[in-house]
Amino acid sequence: VQHSVLRRMLHRSGQFFRATFAPVRPVEIAALEAILTPAQMALFQRLDRSDQRHSLDVWNTLRRAGHHDPDLDQAALLHDAGKAVDTRCPLQRLTVWHRTAVVLLHKAAPNWLIRLAADGHGWKRPFAIHVQHAQIGATLAEQAGCTPEVVDLIRRHHEPEPDNQRLALLQGADEQN
């Protein structure tokens, strides 16, 4: 059990440092033009650099595993689009520090996370964004012209016990990254 906890802590620490120092190369963005429409690309580009890196990593994990499904590609690239609600306002952004607090609260005090998210005003807004990002992202993806399958994958990407193979693949790649 202790080995599992240590491994999980190291994994999360690695995620934190990758998110903090995540490069996104122009060649990677250029490759997305074959996968995302201009409206979907605009949605992807609203994401913070760390979320872009994470989405690219999720997509690359699926590609390396041999999955070349256009709907799954779009869902991987846009699954966290709901985290970029309004990047102009600092109180509307889910920063790497908020994400760290979310991970800690989720493990140590999940009821606090639920209470913070339920209020959702002022400094608590990022916690609400975290809790609601799948639904928000699905709505934004639908507005950007994604297929109903892509919208459903985004909406459900945090649901336990997926009943859909594509959803299970997306969740597995998301968890790895």
Side-chain angles (χ1 to χ4, degrees), residues 106-128:
H106 183 70
K107 291 292 180 191
N111 289 336
W112 285 12
L113 178 58
I114 292 167
R115 272 190 255 145
L116 290 171
D119 180 331
H121 293 90
W123 66 272
K124 299 173 193 167
R125 179 72 178 134
F127 297 101

Side-chain angles (χ1 to χ4, degrees), residues 15 23 44 61 65 71 104 161 172:
Q15 283 182 316
F44 178 85
T61 296
D71 285 344
L104 294 172
E161 301 180 31

Side-chain angles (χ1 to χ4, degrees), residues 11-34:
H11 175 72
R12 289 295 187 185
S13 296
Q15 283 182 316
F16 172 80
F17 286 106
R18 281 191 304 276
T20 303
F21 303 106
V24 175
R25 298 182 315 268
V27 68
E28 292 176 295
I29 299 299
L32 301 184
E33 292 176 4

